Amino acid sequence: MAVSMMRLRHARDSDARAQLSHPVHFDQGFYMEDIVSNSELTRRKGKSQGGAFPGAGKPQLHYVCASSVVKPKPAPKNFLRDFLEGAAAGATAGVVVETALYPIDTIKTRLQAARAGGQINFKGLYSGLAGNIFGVLPASAIFIGVYEPVKRKLLDIFPDHLSSVAHLTAGAVGGATASLIRVPTEVVKQRMQTGQFASARTAVSSIVAKEGVRGLYAGCGAFLLRDLPFDAIQFCIYEQLKIVYKRTVNRDLYDAENAIMGAFSGAVTGAVTTPLDVIKTRLMVQGSGGHYKGIADCVAKIIKEEGAGTLLKGIGPRVMWIGIGGSIFFTALERTKQLLSQASPPKVEDFPSARTA
């Protein structure tokens, strides 16, 4: 009878612990967090110590062999939540960067747009900011909103040593999707920065009237030629730096560390893609006159008429602008993502050492 009662109590305690358990998987087994009864803790510690064991009734962490338990099926990833969180973080970071660094971007654009002997105007450096923010906000939201779930899906597919491929691909996919808004925004912004129009509304109506809707996508090919490699390279450099550094320090990154890595990735990518940016600028600001017939014609005429060095015009302001912008953008992005994640249940990818059953 006594043996039967002991078995019954053991089964009841096991069922209770199973209901209260929250497994976290590591390597060949997993840790089981459960609430163990006071009597059980006292029995484990030994009767010689007597009394209630401190911590009774509180969550305890136990390592359990993976082969000895039935592992629960992991919850499916919520891509809608990933998109919405990424969109909110991207919109916040994009608007902060654009507002802070718009004057530097204006100077860079005017340097690149000026043909040989042209004068650079340093007035009205915030010209077109309001209209540009109207486009930057949804474009940044779409970019990060697409980038985050695509990145997580690809990281599940690719092995760890090919994580850079996942980051490159996700950056390119996010950039291509956001270009639907980015290109018209960039055309209007640069036409205003070069003094062609006084307001975004006037710019849009005038461009559509003279060039049609296609005018809002002037230089689209050059834009994609610049932005897809730019997005892919910048985010890949940043993500890889973050992975290596987190493994080294074995903790989450501070804001200052995110800022440094964001600045480095932005500056390097900005320098490498400057020739593509010059070509994109020339094609976007030329209007209906059409001095350049396309990307190849633009490159050939720039080299012939102004020299190959012209393809590096504005590299100083561009590197400074994108370097500082990367610092601000990634810091704001990571901080916003962290604040949003505090209101959401933890995801498996938040624990790099963990694995799902």
Side-chain angles (χ1 to χ4, degrees):
M1 182 67 179
V3 173
S4 299
M5 291 297 293
M6 289 177 65
R7 288 179 178 174
L8 181 61
R9 186 174 66 179
H10 177 72
R12 185 174 63 251
D13 289 346
S14 298
D15 291 340
R17 285 198 301 273
Q19 294 174 0
L20 295 169
S21 298
H22 305 283
V24 180
H25 299 265
F26 291 91
D27 299 324
Q28 301 303 315
F30 66 87
Y31 284 97
M32 177 79 75
E33 183 184 49
D34 61 7
I35 300 177
V36 185
S37 65
N38 181 72
S39 59
E40 176 69 8
L41 284 169
T42 303
R43 185 185 65 78
R44 292 180 186 179
K45 191 67 178 177
K47 295 181 179 180
S48 59
Q49 295 185 7
F53 185 75
K58 297 181 179 179
Q60 307 294 321
L61 201 62
H62 309 281
Y63 186 78
V64 183
C65 177
S67 61
S68 66
V69 297
V70 178
K71 297 183 282 282
K73 185 177 180 180
K77 291 182 175 62
N78 190 328
F79 287 97
L80 177 60
R81 186 187 69 193
D82 290 344
F83 174 83
L84 294 176
E85 288 183 359
T92 302
V95 170
V96 170
V97 171
E98 197 67 21
T99 303
L101 303 179
Y102 195 80
I104 301 176
D105 182 40
T106 300
I107 294 172
K108 182 270 302 179
T109 298
R110 291 175 181 175
L111 284 170
Q112 292 178 342
R115 297 172 64 182
Q119 297 295 317
I120 307 300
N121 181 11
F122 290 95
K123 295 181 180 180
L125 297 182
Y126 273 98
S127 177
L129 174 62
N132 194 50
I133 287 181
F134 185 76
V136 165
L137 194 152
S140 298
I142 291 173
F143 177 84
I144 301 298
V146 171
Y147 172 79
E148 287 293 337
V150 170
K151 177 189 74 173
R152 287 172 180 154
K153 180 64 176 178
L154 292 176
L155 287 174
D156 286 343
I157 297 174
F158 290 108
D160 289 344
H161 68 279
L162 292 179
S163 62
S164 59
V165 178
H167 295 137
L168 283 167
T169 306
V173 172
T177 308
S179 67
L180 296 173
I181 296 176
R182 276 179 170 179
V183 175
T185 301
E186 190 78 358
V187 170
V188 172
K189 179 194 76 172
Q190 294 197 331
R191 301 271 182 106
M192 293 182 66
Q193 287 176 328
T194 53
Q196 296 182 36
F197 303 103
S199 69
R201 179 177 296 180
T202 303
V204 172
S205 60
S206 180
I207 290 170
V208 172
K210 294 180 180 179
E211 306 170 46
V213 176
R214 292 180 59 182
L216 293 173
Y217 286 88
C220 180
F223 181 90
L224 294 176
L225 182 66
R226 181 204 70 172
D227 266 40
L228 296 192
F230 179 89
D231 292 330
I233 295 170
Q234 184 185 29
F235 274 79
C236 181
I237 292 175
Y238 174 76
E239 295 278 13
Q240 292 299 306
L241 285 174
K242 189 168 70 169
I243 289 173
V244 172
Y245 191 76
K246 286 183 74 171
R247 286 175 179 170
T248 303
V249 299
N250 197 30
R251 59 169 171 78
D252 289 334
L253 274 58
Y254 300 134
D255 287 345
E257 293 166 336
N258 283 320
I260 292 171
M261 283 183 275
F264 178 80
S265 60
V268 171
T269 310
V272 170
T273 58
T274 294
L276 302 176
D277 190 48
V278 172
I279 297 167
K280 183 269 306 177
T281 299
R282 291 293 181 90
L283 290 172
M284 281 188 166
V285 303
Q286 68 177 340
S288 57
H291 180 68
Y292 307 111
K293 305 304 180 184
I295 295 174
D297 182 61
C298 181
V299 174
K301 285 183 177 178
I302 287 175
I303 294 175
K304 181 180 178 180
E305 298 171 2
E306 305 171 59
T310 304
L311 292 172
L312 294 177
K313 257 191 173 183
I315 188 172
R318 178 172 168 79
V319 168
M320 180 174 67
W321 167 56
I322 298 180
I324 298 173
S327 173
I328 298 173
F329 180 85
F330 283 108
T331 303
L333 180 68
E334 297 292 352
R335 174 58 62 180
T336 306
K337 286 165 60 178
Q338 182 181 15
L339 292 175
L340 290 172
S341 67
Q342 291 175 355
S344 304
K347 299 183 283 291
V348 172
E349 54 267 23
D350 292 334
F351 304 93
S353 300
R355 66 174 177 85
T356 56

